[in-house]
Amino acid sequence: GHWQKTVHGYSGIRAPLHDRLYALLRNFPDAASLDELARLDVRYVVVHTELYPPGEWEHVSARIDGHGGRLRLEHVAGPGRIYSVQPSLSQ
């Protein structure tokens, strides 16, 4: 337990927000997914690097580095990474 609220709640009901956010996060991190996370006031993102197909994490990591102003690495635990989501400069 991290004892943080989660964006998808805890009831098991899949609201339209869940489906929209899931679609956006398939391209994480990009401007659209980061903007939506910030709009929802998401403060932290947990990335499980071991769940990416072989060789894919390196590409995702490079995209994260490309959004260095929007994502800040806060903690590493094994293959897990916790990033804080920073607001867009235009918000």
Side-chain angles (χ1 to χ4, degrees):
H2 50 67
W3 305 111
Q4 301 289 319
K5 289 183 187 179
T6 60
V7 72
H8 53 75
Y10 56 87
S11 69
I13 296 172
R14 287 181 50 170
L17 167 64
H18 176 275
D19 293 333
R20 187 177 80 244
L21 188 58
Y22 180 81
L24 283 171
L25 290 175
R26 296 200 40 93
N27 296 315
F28 176 84
D30 65 353
S33 63
L34 292 172
D35 288 346
E36 185 67 5
L37 291 172
R39 186 186 73 74
L40 292 169
D41 202 27
V42 170
R43 302 219 172 121
Y44 299 99
V45 174
V46 178
V47 177
H48 297 275
T49 63
E50 78 279 13
L51 298 179
Y52 286 93
E56 183 64 21
W57 168 243
E58 290 77 18
H59 299 291
V60 174
S61 181
R63 290 198 316 264
I64 289 171
D65 291 344
H67 290 281
R70 302 282 311 270
L71 293 168
R72 181 174 38 219
L73 182 62
E74 300 289 347
H75 184 73
V76 175
R81 307 283 184 271
I82 299 174
Y83 294 90
S84 58
V85 179
Q86 308 301 310
S88 171
L89 297 176
S90 62
Q91 292 182 351

